[in-house]
Amino acid sequence: MTHEVQNNVKKFLATIPLPYHGYIFLLHVGSGAPVHCISSVVSLMLTVVNVSFSVKVLDACSAPGNKTVHLAALMKGKGKIIACELNKDRAKRLEDTVRLSGAASILYAVF
C-alpha cells in the first residue's frame, strides 16, 4: 500500500464514528498474526484436546488493547485474558478499549 493510499485511509477513518464508539477496532495487519496464532492454540485446546480447565492468556504490554479485544472476540468468551500495562496513561487507554469492546473475559492490571 502506497503512502498516499495509507493517508487517504487514515483521513477516511477519521471521518467515521465507528472506531470511537467501539463498533470496530483498528489493527495493523502485522499485529493480527500473533493474535491468530494464539487463538489457534486456544481453539485447539478448547475443541480437539477438549481441556477441562479454564484457558488463561497473559497479555503483557497490552495497551492500547486492540489485539487484546481481538483475541477476546476470537476466544468467544471462553477463558480469561489478563492484560497488563506498566504506563498509567496507556493503561487508561487499555481500560477504555476493553470497556468499549464489552469483553467481560478481559481482566487488566496496572503495575
Side-chain angles (χ1 to χ4, degrees):
M1 187 180 304
T2 67
H3 187 65
E4 181 181 353
V5 171
Q6 287 177 342
N7 284 338
N8 288 337
V9 169
K10 287 178 185 178
K11 287 177 188 175
F12 169 73
L13 291 173
T15 66
I16 59 174
L18 297 175
Y20 301 105
H21 297 292
Y23 296 113
I24 63 172
F25 291 88
L26 304 176
L27 192 66
H28 186 274
V29 68
S31 299
V35 171
H36 281 286
C37 290
I38 293 168
S39 71
S40 296
V41 170
V42 170
S43 178
L44 179 68
M45 291 173 69
L46 293 173
T47 56
V48 177
V49 181
N50 195 22
V51 294
S52 58
F53 57 88
S54 177
V55 175
K56 292 182 180 79
V57 176
L58 175 63
D59 183 0
C61 303
S62 302
N66 295 349
K67 288 187 290 265
T68 310
V69 299
H70 184 199
L71 180 59
L74 293 172
M75 289 174 63
K76 299 178 182 171
K78 296 180 180 178
K80 295 286 182 193
I81 300 171
I82 302 162
C84 304
E85 181 56 51
L86 291 173
N87 183 292
K88 289 185 180 183
D89 293 332
R90 290 178 53 81
K92 175 66 174 125
R93 179 66 182 126
L94 171 63
E95 181 181 353
D96 292 343
T97 302
V98 170
R99 181 182 44 76
L100 281 171
S101 76
S105 61
I106 302 172
L107 312 170
Y108 50 92
V110 181
F111 293 94

